Each structure stands twice: as C-alpha cells, then as structure tokens.
Amino acid sequence: MYAFEIERPTTLDAAKAAIADGGQALSGGQTLIPTLKARLADPEKLVSLHNIPELKGISTDGDGRICIKGATVHRAVADGASSYPALASLAARIGDPAVRTRGTIGGSLANNDPSACYPAGVLASGAVIVTDRREIAADDYFLGMFDTALDEGEIIIEVKFPVPQVACYEKFIQPASRFPLVAVFVAKFADGVQVAITGASGEGVFRWTAAEEALSANFTPEALDGIAMDPSPMIADLHGDKAYRAHLCSVMAKRAVKNAK
C-alpha cells in the first residue's frame, strides 16, 4: 500500500468533518483494502465508520420496514433480520465468514460491485437508501457498474426495506470469489412482483421487467416459460459467455419463485 493516515471517529458528525477534510470513508473495507494493496487507489486519509454506534443496528419502523444501519455487518443482518427471511438468507451467504464479519451493507451499496448481493435485495425490495443528506429510492440509486447516485463524501446512514409477502434470493456462486455468477432476488408484494438480477450484466444490478409482469399475473415458475433474457448486455468471461448468463437468469428466477416464502 501507499502510506496513509487513518481516523476512527466515534460520532457521525466527526466522521463527516473528517471526510469533508479530504478523508475517504472506510466501512467494511472488503473492496477498498484490496484496492489499496494493489495500489489502485492512493487516499491520503481513511475515515473508519466502524466505531460509530449510530451507524449500527437493525430495527423496524412504523411502516413495518426493516431498517438496517449502514455500518451493520453482514453477519448481524443474517442473524437479526429474521422478519425478512430472504434478506437474512442473502446476508448469510455473502462471501465467507471473514467477509461477513467485516463487510457492511453500506459499504456494499456504496461500492456497487456489478456482482454484489445486496444491490439485488435492495432493488427487488423497493428499499430506500437514507444518507446524511437525503433519501434515495432504490430505482434511482444504482446508475451502473461501480456507479451510484451518491455525491462525493455522502454517507449511507440506513437502508429501509419494505417486507414483501414472500421472497427468495437464489444465486449461482462462482466458487473462487464467492460472488454470484448470476443471482436473482424475487419479491412478491400485494401490488405486484419485483425481480432484480445481479452478476449478469456489465452495467450492474437491474430489474427484469418482463419477468415482473409475468409473475405479477401468475406467481409460478411456469409463468417464466418462453420469456428469454436478451444476452447482448450480459458479461462474457472465462466463467461463461453472454448466452450462458442470459440462460442462468431464467433458471435462477424460476428457482427463486419456486422457493419463495
């Protein structure tokens, strides 16, 4: 790594001041630290959010939404989001135990890796991302690979998840990285179904509207028969070509519908 300073504030106000003074926010660090080790980034100062109590915890608001603070680690979500089983299951299968102990929901969403798990859960749930400046609807938050609606220095304070009637997250894991090769989150609400896919597209997480329309009319795996994913925007690499990933979108979506609860 290049040399850098690190600050460990214990309040949100102190963290905001340190970031405004040129610091780079550090949440779980599961992406940032490897990036620093590879010398692909050279921040002069890191500002750890790990010691700020107001950025940790899980609660339920007056609208019945699961509210998860930005610096809450994956393991805590897996253990504490029992009222939203699909979300707890998603968190329980991120990476490995070391990653789940350090990685945070806010860090994952701020980074927006095109194969990250949380973006699919956030987008399919119609969640709201609360920052230190505003609230951002999930449909307006994800802008593309590693790109979000966050402004420079903006901190994710909390994510508010509406709880669907039934939901499921199914992913086809790439064994070496533990990232999904393709993963699908299906959530059925009273007014319709939302389907989000991660790992498949070079543009990152996206909603599969054709599948949503079919499943809103008939929430069965068979409703997806004959609905093909366009392979042109899919990722092609040594793990699978565009057509393979497009096919996996359908396979994993059907599994998610079948296993939704």
Side-chain angles (χ1 to χ4, degrees):
M1 297 184 187
Y2 297 103
F4 59 85
E5 297 179 357
I6 186 165
E7 293 191 19
R8 297 181 174 87
T10 57
T11 67
L12 179 58
D13 286 342
K16 290 165 62 176
I19 292 171
D21 191 39
Q24 166 70 51
L26 172 68
S27 193
Q30 300 305 292
T31 297
L32 180 57
I33 296 303
T35 301
L36 298 180
K37 288 181 177 180
R39 295 198 167 196
L40 297 175
D42 185 21
E44 294 184 359
K45 177 171 62 178
L46 296 183
V47 181
S48 173
L49 306 179
H50 181 69
N51 297 318
I52 304 176
E54 59 193 298
L55 291 182
K56 295 184 177 183
I58 302 172
S59 62
T60 302
D61 70 5
D63 295 322
R65 295 178 296 185
I66 301 296
C67 303
I68 304 173
K69 297 292 187 179
T72 305
V73 298
H74 309 323
R75 185 182 65 182
V77 177
D79 294 339
S82 57
S83 60
Y84 193 167
L87 183 62
S89 175
L90 178 153
R93 291 177 286 152
I94 294 176
D96 55 30
V99 169
R100 293 191 290 272
T101 299
R102 295 296 301 181
T104 66
I105 185 171
S108 175
L109 296 177
N111 187 57
N112 191 24
D113 188 290
S115 293
C117 295
Y118 270 123
V122 168
L123 192 56
S125 301
V128 174
I129 294 92
V130 182
T131 77
D132 58 324
R133 305 173 192 179
R134 54 185 169 147
E135 294 190 356
I136 310 172
D139 283 329
D140 299 324
Y141 179 81
F142 301 102
L143 303 182
M145 181 185 291
F146 299 110
D147 190 15
T148 73
L150 293 176
D151 292 330
E152 186 72 24
E154 195 167 5
I155 301 172
I156 295 177
I157 303 298
E158 187 175 51
V159 186
K160 298 180 178 181
F161 290 88
V163 179
Q165 295 172 337
V166 294
C168 184
Y169 179 63
E170 290 287 345
K171 68 176 179 177
F172 192 90
I173 297 175
Q174 200 287 319
S177 69
R178 308 299 296 174
F179 276 106
L181 197 64
V182 169
V184 180
F185 198 109
V186 173
K188 182 180 185 293
F189 293 89
D191 58 353
V193 177
Q194 297 195 168
V195 180
I197 297 178
T198 187
S201 172
E203 292 301 310
V205 68
F206 66 95
R207 284 177 60 179
W208 190 6
T209 54
E212 291 178 346
E213 292 171 1
L215 292 171
S216 294
N218 176 22
F219 193 71
T220 66
E222 292 72 27
L224 298 176
D225 290 343
I227 300 177
M229 173 67 70
D230 177 10
S232 59
M234 299 292 104
I235 296 170
D237 56 22
L238 75 165
H239 305 297
D241 61 16
K242 293 175 179 287
Y244 179 65
R245 279 188 167 85
H247 175 67
L248 275 180
C249 290
S250 178
V251 171
M252 303 313 289
K254 288 182 177 181
R255 290 184 186 177
V257 172
K258 179 180 179 181
N259 297 321
K261 58 183 179 180

